[in-house]
Amino acid sequence: MVKVAPSMLSADFSKLGQELVRVTESGADWAHLDVMDGMFVPNLTFGAPVVKAIRKHSDITFDVHLMIQDPIRYVKDFADAGADWITVHVEADGDIKGALKKIRELGKRPGISLNPDTPVESIKDYLALVDQVLVMTVQPGFGGQKFRENGPGKIAAIRKMIDGSGRDILISVDGGINRETGKRCVDAGADVLVAGSYLFKLGDMAPEIALWKQW
Ligand code: DX5
Ligand code: ZN
């Protein structure tokens, strides 16, 4: 069954706790939390204190997407704040394998993400260390961008790589996901659909989430 992870980047930040409850009550599997440092991407969002503050509003799985330059410095803060999954970028600086190992040691689920222009081969050496590959279908940094058409092909290629690895790894897709692009990604092999602007602009996201989960 497909999992749906609304991206809180498109929520009303003035009432993040209530927005998290809304997402939870809409039947979402995970809440996707986009952390941006203004360096790895040209935008700033929030850090571990905000994750900790909203943690008490819901038991939903927290899928933390770190778009930050040197992630190993911060993984413990996010683990302590209540993250369940912590994903770092293959393009980031510093010790990426060390960051993934540290996430595992902290009892959390590690993920690796790659940008639209990053070749799928770049993640091969990390597959032994992760439980999730997050395929970006927009250049990270902002919600509401257009889906990049090379996404489904990359997902299919990563699905083959994972099958060859013999490990059980989820493929998530993030950026420009709506009913049409999401279905194409699921058909290509995606397990988790991350969607921000499309879901949050719906008055009630529950029926859409229910539909996607059946794909
Ligand atoms: C982009 C973020 C995404 C973003 C997706 O940098 O990683 O999670 O919130 O937003 P939409 O679904 O609007 O493209
Ligand atoms: Zn994201």
Side-chain angles (χ1 to χ4, degrees):
M1 199 159 125
V2 173
K3 291 187 197 301
V4 181
S7 168
M8 301 306 292
L9 187 61
S10 290
D12 180 342
F13 274 23
S14 72
K15 46 176 186 178
L16 264 186
Q18 284 165 255
E19 290 281 72
L20 185 65
V21 171
R22 175 183 161 206
V23 160
T24 306
E25 290 177 349
S26 299
D29 298 281
W30 297 355
H32 182 87
L33 300 171
D34 287 303
V35 177
M36 304 184 187
D37 68 353
M39 303 287 282
F40 181 74
V41 290
N43 196 9
L44 289 162
T45 53
F46 49 79
V50 171
V51 174
K52 187 177 179 192
I54 61 172
R55 180 68 283 183
K56 55 183 172 290
H57 291 268
S58 169
D59 290 333
I60 195 168
T61 296
F62 273 7
D63 178 38
V64 174
H65 177 192
L66 295 183
M67 287 159 275
I68 64 180
Q69 236 172 20
D70 191 8
I72 197 167
R73 292 172 60 199
Y74 296 100
V75 293
K76 185 169 189 310
D77 290 350
F78 286 98
D80 291 346
D84 298 292
W85 291 80
I86 302 177
T87 293
V88 301
H89 268 263
V90 70
E91 304 89 355
D93 296 333
D95 183 1
I96 301 302
K97 285 189 179 168
L100 295 168
K101 287 178 192 161
K102 193 164 172 182
I103 293 164
R104 182 82 71 194
E105 282 163 19
L106 290 162
K108 309 298 177 181
R109 313 281 304 269
I112 190 84
S113 184
L114 72 166
N115 287 341
D117 294 324
T118 301
V120 297
E121 293 72 31
S122 67
I123 59 163
K124 203 163 187 168
D125 288 348
Y126 299 90
L127 289 184
L129 298 173
V130 301
D131 294 337
Q132 174 183 176
V133 174
L134 178 64
V135 180
M136 292 308 301
T137 39
V138 296
Q139 190 63 26
F142 301 92
Q145 303 182 76
K146 194 173 175 302
F147 179 80
R148 291 275 296 263
E149 291 299 326
N150 66 350
K154 288 179 80 175
I155 290 167
I158 291 167
R159 174 54 65 200
K160 271 193 193 153
M161 278 171 59
I162 290 173
D163 290 348
S165 78
R167 297 201 64 248
D168 196 9
I169 300 173
L170 294 175
I171 300 180
S172 303
V173 59
D174 183 7
I177 296 298
N178 56 36
R179 193 183 295 180
E180 185 260 327
T181 57
K183 180 70 168 69
R184 284 166 54 203
C185 290
V186 169
D187 289 346
D191 304 292
V192 183
L193 297 174
V194 177
S197 50
Y198 182 79
L199 287 179
F200 274 90
K201 74 171 192 284
L202 300 172
D204 178 6
M205 63 175 86
E208 194 72 20
I209 290 174
L211 175 76
W212 294 11
K213 284 167 87 162
Q214 289 169 24
W215 286 340

